[in-house]
Amino acid sequence: MKQQFKPILSCLKFAITLAIGISAFNTYAQKSFGVNNRIIDIDALNKKVDFLIKETGIPGVSLSIISNDKIVFSNSYGVKQLGTEGKINNETIFEACSLSKSFLAFVAYQLADKGRLDLDKPLYNYLKYQLLEHDLRYKSITARMVLSHSSGIENWKFMHNPDTLELMSNPGERFVYSGEGYQYLAQVIELILHKSYEDYISDMVIKPLGLKRTFTSYKSNPQNYAIGHNAFGKPYEKWKNMSTRPASGNHTTSADYAKLIIGIFNQKNISNHTIYEVTRPIVRLQENNPSVYYAAGFEIISSKNDTIISHGGTNDGFRGLMFYSPKNKTGFVLLANSDRGKSIAMSINDATVQLDVAAKFLGNFSEQYPSNAISLLKFYNESGLNVMLARLNELEHEGKLNENTLNDLGEEFMKVSDSVATDLLTKNIRLFPKSSTSHYLLGIIDMKNKRYSSAYAHFQKAKELNFQYGDIDFDINEARKKSQIPAGK
């Protein structure tokens, strides 16, 4: 009897081998992919990305493209750490930074659909939060406020008064980006589910979506990871969080995060009503930019023909950015192991999905490639400070500097040389007297060096010039108190 099955088994093995071979051949032979009614040549795209990371000094990138709610392209570029031979591949994990928040948001949406979490019920009714009990205003904070960054909770406790978690505004009043708010919401969900964050993210996100290279901490010691770098190509010490941090501590690939975005919006995991709530604008990010709002979990970029979902992430040495159109079911995810990682986002967008996301970068003083700030950094990294300054003077004499260039450059030099940063920002004020950002950054440098009276003057000037990028009133008050300037002066 056994002999009778041998020919059948042989044929079956041959068919399986042939199928695997055809699949591998098709993947290998793929020359292009379609997105937004365009055909993208893969070889040309790969050359484009390689060129971009070389020009901007970004060590490595992970990129995935979504079309019709499928990942139609995923590739990796560059190295895990400059000066080493370890190349990034599609298994290499990056710090998700604030993209980590989307994992928690997905769980919140599922619980809202099941009636287990009311997005508009004060979180205080689920869990009293000791860190905020000193300010009774916190009792009105809801999950929707946390998800839309309108809870008023400061971003991180250590950033202002390290002894006290503070409310920067009345809950629901305005946009205040808050990682601490997500930390609170994560604990509320732990109480609802009687599970740790690690367990419920695994059970409700990682396993059902098949995220093979996503980790909520380094407790399991994942291998094949990228190292973060500053704008000058220097590696940071690798952050390996042994405990979870829901707002910023996940580690993933662009393909896994793309699967998460697809899982949120493909109408298979959450209701149409909840998807609508995810895309409903709640709070404006900047007064001078009416096209960009925050909704319950994502930024919303509104244009004449589309509404784009976006999320970004920033950790030391890592940057992440995602754009997605629920209407066209199209988008991309970009992860990079450099502080300059977002600078190629518009170039990637233009070369692939061509979503209308220009409003995202309006008023943003960190410039997109190509820019003078990026080229000047390249001069510095390749030839040193004097060569960079000589080129800077040439651009000034040619009238080719804009207000953002030296602000962008100055912010990067703040990490390595306060004196160089101060010179750049002071020059920018001479060239552009109405640059609120230059005054603000100079105020930050003064605060770091305990020149509180000077910081106070710079912050006051930044406010007078309508500074838009942070809570300038808090900075003014901190500088005033430390310089012992009476209130009202």
Side-chain angles (χ1 to χ4, degrees):
M1 286 292 292
K2 290 182 181 180
Q3 292 294 324
Q4 295 177 11
F5 287 102
K6 282 187 177 180
I8 298 174
L9 290 172
S10 297
C11 290
L12 182 59
K13 288 180 181 178
F14 175 78
I16 292 172
T17 302
L18 180 62
I20 294 173
I22 291 173
S23 175
F25 174 80
N26 286 341
T27 301
Y28 178 80
Q30 183 181 358
K31 300 293 184 182
S32 62
F33 63 89
V35 61
N36 269 1
N37 299 316
R38 302 175 64 236
I39 300 298
I40 308 300
D41 181 86
I42 289 177
D43 184 57
L45 176 59
N46 287 335
K47 289 179 179 177
K48 175 76 171 179
V49 179
D50 283 333
F51 171 80
L52 289 170
I53 64 175
K54 181 179 179 180
E55 287 296 295
T56 55
I58 298 170
V61 157
S62 176
L63 173 67
S64 292
I65 311 293
I66 300 169
S67 181
N68 196 28
D69 276 346
K70 292 182 175 59
I71 299 173
V72 293
F73 176 81
S74 189
N75 204 3
S76 302
Y77 308 84
V79 295
K80 301 174 190 176
Q81 181 175 345
L82 288 175
T84 70
E85 296 181 356
K87 292 186 177 180
I88 289 173
N89 58 38
N90 287 351
E91 299 293 307
T92 304
I93 58 173
F94 291 68
E95 291 180 24
C97 315
S98 284
L99 296 180
S100 303
K101 295 178 174 68
S102 302
F103 295 82
L104 182 65
F106 185 39
V107 172
Y109 303 150
Q110 294 179 68
L111 294 179
D113 269 347
K114 296 174 182 177
R116 301 189 68 181
L117 174 67
D118 185 338
L119 297 182
D120 296 306
K121 180 179 179 179
L123 295 180
Y124 166 80
N125 290 335
Y126 295 96
L127 174 68
K128 295 179 181 179
Y129 201 48
Q130 184 177 359
L131 291 177
L132 288 171
E133 285 188 336
H134 62 91
D135 192 329
L136 295 180
R137 291 180 297 172
Y138 101 92
K139 292 184 177 182
S140 63
I141 293 172
T142 66
R144 193 184 305 277
M145 291 177 190
V146 167
L147 292 167
S148 62
H149 296 284
S150 60
S151 70
I153 305 173
E154 64 179 318
N155 190 12
W156 293 109
K157 180 183 174 184
F158 66 82
M159 297 181 74
H160 295 112
N161 180 352
D163 297 322
T164 306
L165 182 59
E166 299 184 65
L167 291 183
M168 310 300 288
S169 70
N170 294 325
E173 185 174 87
R174 61 185 178 88
F175 174 77
V176 178
Y177 194 85
S178 178
E180 295 282 4
Y182 273 73
Q183 300 292 112
Y184 182 15
L185 177 59
Q187 291 186 39
V188 169
I189 294 176
E190 285 184 344
L191 186 64
I192 292 171
L193 293 175
H194 304 290
K195 291 182 178 181
S196 69
Y197 170 82
E198 180 180 23
D199 287 343
Y200 68 68
I201 291 296
S202 177
D203 293 344
M204 299 178 69
V205 185
I206 293 175
K207 289 178 181 178
L209 296 182
L211 309 186
K212 303 298 185 183
R213 292 294 293 165
T214 294
F215 304 88
T216 54
S217 73
Y218 265 78
K219 189 167 64 175
S220 61
N221 194 30
Q223 300 300 303
N224 191 359
Y225 53 83
I227 301 293
H229 298 72
N230 68 15
F232 308 98
K234 303 299 182 184
Y236 289 94
E237 182 180 352
K238 176 58 184 167
W239 180 49
K240 294 183 177 181
N241 52 312
M242 293 299 147
S243 59
T244 60
R245 184 183 289 187
S248 61
N250 292 351
H251 308 264
T252 192
T253 65
S254 64
D256 269 12
Y257 188 79
K259 290 177 184 178
L260 171 61
I261 296 304
I262 293 168
I264 291 174
F265 292 101
N266 64 5
Q267 301 176 323
K268 295 180 180 179
N269 300 295
I270 60 175
S271 67
N272 288 338
H273 171 75
T274 299
I275 292 175
Y276 166 77
E277 290 297 308
V278 173
T279 59
R280 180 171 62 86
I282 294 175
V283 59
R284 186 184 293 184
L285 273 69
Q286 298 172 358
E287 292 181 8
N288 61 355
N289 193 345
S291 298
V292 183
Y293 282 76
Y294 232 98
F298 295 93
E299 289 182 26
I300 304 296
I301 306 168
S302 299
S303 66
K304 183 178 180 180
N305 298 314
D306 205 356
T307 297
I308 309 300
I309 303 298
S310 178
H311 210 301
T314 299
N315 282 1
D316 286 346
F318 288 91
R319 297 292 186 269
L321 193 59
M322 174 278 298
F323 294 109
Y324 174 82
S325 167
K327 174 184 175 182
N328 296 313
K329 303 183 185 303
T330 297
F332 74 88
V333 180
L334 173 69
L335 304 178
N337 61 336
S338 168
D339 286 346
R340 301 299 291 178
K342 292 181 184 179
S343 66
I344 62 174
M346 274 302 291
S347 295
I348 297 293
N349 179 71
D350 293 344
T352 57
V353 296
Q354 294 190 347
L355 297 177
D356 189 358
V357 297
K360 165 72 176 178
F361 303 102
L362 288 178
N364 191 332
F365 65 88
S366 295
E367 296 187 335
Q368 289 289 298
Y369 180 86
S371 80
N372 286 325
I374 292 170
S375 65
L376 287 167
L377 270 174
K378 186 178 181 183
F379 274 109
Y380 177 84
N381 288 331
E382 293 180 352
S383 304
L385 180 62
N386 290 336
V387 174
M388 184 196 81
L389 293 177
R391 179 56 184 151
L392 174 58
N393 289 333
E394 289 175 2
L395 291 171
E396 180 185 354
H397 292 146
E398 294 167 4
K400 293 182 179 179
L401 293 178
N402 62 45
E403 181 183 338
N404 285 337
T405 298
L406 296 186
N407 287 331
D408 189 359
L409 204 60
E411 185 189 36
E412 296 297 353
F413 271 96
M414 285 169 62
K415 301 169 187 175
V416 294
S417 173
D418 285 343
S419 61
V420 174
T422 298
D423 288 345
L424 294 170
L425 296 167
T426 301
K427 176 189 277 286
N428 207 43
I429 290 173
R430 178 173 59 80
L431 296 172
F432 302 96
K434 294 185 179 181
S435 177
S436 64
T437 301
S438 293
H439 283 286
Y440 176 76
L441 294 175
L442 284 169
I444 296 295
I445 293 172
D446 284 337
M447 288 293 286
K448 185 170 74 169
N449 290 283
K450 300 182 179 180
R451 298 189 294 264
Y452 301 124
S453 295
S454 179
Y456 178 75
H458 279 301
F459 290 146
Q460 284 278 39
K461 188 64 177 179
K463 181 176 182 178
E464 178 187 321
L465 295 170
N466 196 28
F467 180 73
Q468 294 279 321
Y469 301 109
D471 195 330
I472 193 67
D473 286 330
F474 182 90
D475 293 305
I476 288 171
N477 289 333
E478 284 296 292
R480 179 185 57 77
K481 285 187 290 186
K482 290 185 177 181
S483 59
Q484 298 183 334
I485 297 173
K489 294 291 186 180

